[in-house]
Amino acid sequence: MNRKPLVIAMLLLVVVLVATFGYTWYKSAHPAFSGSLISPPQAAYAFSLTSQTGSTVNLSDFRGKYVLIFFGYTNCTSECPLTMGYLKQMHDRLGLLADQTQVILITSDPARDTPGELGAYLSHFDSSFMGLTSSLAVLQPVWSAYGVTVLDDGETHTSYLYLVDPQGDLIATYPRLSNVDGITADLKNLLRGK
Amino acid sequence: MEHSSKSSVLQLGLLVLGALAVLTAVEFAIALTVNIWQALAIIPIIKAGLVFYYYMHIYRLFEADTDVDRESYAYKLATNRLGLWLFLISDSFIFGGLMISRINLLGLTRPELLQVLGLAVTVVLLISSFFANRAEVSMAYGDRRQFILSLTVTLSLGILFLIGVLGVEWQLAPFGPETNLAGAVFYVMTGFHAFHVFTGVIFLAIVLRNGLRGLYSAEKHWAVEASVVYWHFIDVVWFFFYPALYLIGTLVQ
């Protein structure tokens, strides 16, 4: 009987193996970015707000770190706790690398979100997370600079997450987190210089 | 086949089993390491190609029908083969439909199953195909003793597969058909496949009984060929179902 098909099958297997490992090698050398890249990066709007401890915080304080900015409010029941939960998972998965990142929640409801409220809210997630608030007059330019629409009751319909690089440039956005794999891999790759 | 010696044909069958085992091992290794679905989709096609050619002798369909005598055994054999393959094609639409449902409903996720058990039942079915081929080749060369022996082994391995899937996997799976989509897909796919294995076992058992009664000869053994080709078809279906259920993608949350 003809042995040719057997040889062809084995050759195909070799092709599949070479392609699989070639692809894997290529992927690890050129990791895909799961967020939406902003190209070229733009200077992130510099804000100066009050943290949950009452101190004044500037975006420039975080030069040298990757900063993740999220807009939400403590009375929010859907998107905000979900996103903060994902960010907590991301923070844990980053391990030691997490020191080079900073998660910031900027309130969209300054009327209710006092520093104390924000501190109590964020303590459910991670002690390193920062909650920022201020007066409406100070917050409004920040919201509009990041394209956040805030309704009268402080509700926001934006669930974008903004990634600011160590130079203070806005480099990417995440429209809506549905898992932590992508954002964790992105930060790992960025921090490891890939 | 008539031009090759029996031992060389049996040896080739063993070589094909070796190739299928290597392909399955590579498939399993890829799934556990890089899990690239494209690779896991191509390997079953290569395996199916080998079985179609060496075990199911698909080329026999294209052998010229030179016999003009419509009452001859050769003519009837050619017609029978065509009929059997038409049935297999129509049957594969059911399995194809189930596969499409799985792709649409689960995408790149898979249910949480026992990896070792999945590999074990796959190997059992693969070896049963080897023995099915051995049984058919033995009959074609008139070796009745070897035919009975190989067919018995095939039949036993088929029953072992059913015990593995229905008796172990179904009982140990941490979900039921009603738990979630993955559960529904898993039970309907394995259930439909297991039903075919069950009918295959019945088919083989009837052929075994008739074989013991001496109803087949080296020249005339269509039922042996048909049951064995059907058996290989069930194995080929599992080539695709196994990676689809056990290997491709990440676990369903």
Side-chain angles (χ1 to χ4, degrees):
Chain A
M1 252 181 11
N2 195 351
R3 291 197 177 195
K4 217 192 215 162
L6 197 58
V7 175
I8 293 170
M10 289 297 102
L11 286 177
L12 280 174
L13 176 63
V14 172
V15 171
V16 168
L17 271 176
V18 169
T20 302
F21 287 100
Y23 177 77
T24 312
W25 172 81
Y26 180 84
K27 277 298 222 188
S28 66
H30 307 87
F33 198 82
S34 84
S36 311
L37 280 169
I38 295 169
S39 183
Q42 296 171 2
Y45 180 82
F47 49 76
S48 181
L49 303 166
T50 310
S51 77
Q52 70 259 46
T53 57
S55 56
T56 303
V57 168
N58 302 301
L59 179 60
S60 56
D61 296 347
F62 303 107
R63 288 289 147 82
K65 286 187 176 187
Y66 281 96
V67 183
L68 284 160
I69 303 170
F70 184 68
F71 293 86
Y73 53 109
T74 59
N75 282 355
C76 159
T77 51
S78 54
E79 212 57 59
C80 319
L82 199 62
T83 302
M84 296 312 286
Y86 281 137
L87 289 173
K88 167 63 176 163
Q89 280 183 46
M90 177 210 73
H91 183 269
D92 291 347
R93 283 204 205 172
L94 284 175
L96 291 173
L97 291 174
D99 294 345
Q100 302 171 56
T101 65
Q102 177 63 53
V103 173
I104 293 178
L105 169 70
I106 296 180
T107 185
S108 57
D109 185 13
R112 280 182 289 188
D113 291 351
T114 60
E117 282 286 327
L118 281 169
Y121 179 73
L122 288 175
S123 67
H124 296 304
F125 300 100
D126 195 273
S127 58
S128 77
F129 289 4
M130 194 159 278
L132 301 182
T133 185
S134 191
S135 66
L136 193 63
V138 175
L139 279 167
Q140 257 165 348
V142 180
W143 295 336
S144 66
Y146 285 92
V148 178
T149 315
V150 177
L151 308 181
D152 288 341
D153 58 352
E155 192 179 333
T156 168
H157 280 176
T158 313
S159 42
Y160 271 63
L161 196 61
Y162 301 84
L163 178 60
V164 178
D165 75 359
Q167 286 76 45
D169 289 333
L170 185 61
I171 55 166
T173 58
Y174 294 86
R176 172 181 285 213
L177 286 190
S178 55
N179 65 70
V180 288
D181 300 334
I183 192 167
T184 309
D186 285 357
L187 282 168
K188 275 186 181 168
N189 290 329
L190 286 170
L191 289 165
R192 287 172 181 161
K194 274 186 182 169
Chain B
M1 200 192 288
E2 283 69 32
H3 309 295
S4 339
S5 75
K6 180 188 159 203
S7 66
S8 78
V9 175
L10 288 177
Q11 201 186 357
L12 190 62
L14 195 59
L15 210 56
V16 172
L17 176 69
L20 291 170
V22 169
L23 281 156
T24 307
V26 167
E27 182 181 36
F28 191 66
I30 288 179
L32 288 193
T33 54
V34 291
N35 207 306
I36 290 172
W37 70 264
Q38 290 89 341
L40 297 176
I42 292 171
I43 289 175
I45 297 173
I46 302 175
K47 286 166 75 178
L50 281 177
V51 171
F52 280 155
Y53 187 82
Y54 288 107
Y55 285 173
M56 295 169 82
H57 318 291
I58 191 168
Y59 51 84
R60 285 180 185 164
L61 287 178
F62 308 105
E63 283 169 359
D65 176 23
T66 49
D67 209 319
V68 286
D69 177 10
R70 297 285 144 119
E71 295 301 319
S72 76
Y73 186 77
Y75 180 81
K76 285 176 180 169
L77 189 60
T79 318
N80 284 346
R81 281 176 179 155
L82 197 61
L84 177 64
W85 276 90
L86 283 174
F87 162 69
L88 296 183
I89 290 167
S90 65
D91 209 19
S92 54
F93 277 86
I94 294 172
F95 291 114
L98 290 173
M99 190 62 123
I100 298 288
S101 323
R102 180 252 174 268
I103 293 167
N104 273 305
L105 294 173
L106 302 186
L108 288 178
T109 61
R110 59 184 166 82
E112 192 180 350
L113 299 164
L114 296 171
Q115 283 297 335
V116 177
L117 188 60
L119 188 64
V121 294
T122 303
V123 168
V124 163
L125 210 53
L126 211 55
I127 297 174
S128 84
S129 256
F130 163 74
F131 279 100
N133 174 254
R134 209 178 155 79
E136 190 199 346
V137 171
S138 300
M139 194 67 251
Y141 282 93
D143 185 347
R144 199 178 305 270
R145 206 187 69 86
Q146 187 58 250
F147 158 70
I148 297 291
L149 195 66
S150 297
L151 201 65
T152 310
V153 174
T154 309
L155 194 66
S156 314
L157 290 172
I159 293 168
L160 193 61
F161 176 87
L162 284 177
I163 293 171
V165 173
L166 305 183
V168 184
E169 186 69 279
W170 276 25
Q171 310 308 319
L172 295 183
F175 51 82
E178 77 293 342
T179 310
N180 52 23
L181 270 181
V185 167
F186 171 75
Y187 283 95
V188 81
M189 283 176 75
T190 52
F192 240 93
H193 180 264
F195 178 69
H196 278 77
V197 175
F198 179 64
T199 57
V201 165
I202 292 175
F203 197 175
L204 290 176
I206 292 168
V207 169
L208 181 63
R209 189 196 65 171
N210 290 346
L212 286 167
R213 287 178 178 177
L215 290 184
Y216 308 122
S217 67
E219 295 75 30
K220 295 186 176 184
H221 56 271
W222 163 244
V224 175
E225 181 182 330
S227 64
V228 165
V229 167
Y230 178 67
W231 190 256
H232 291 312
F233 170 74
I234 298 166
D235 195 14
V236 167
V237 170
W238 190 251
F239 286 174
F240 291 92
F241 276 23
Y242 169 60
L245 291 171
Y246 284 84
L247 302 181
I248 287 177
T250 50
L251 286 178
V252 172
Q253 294 293 320

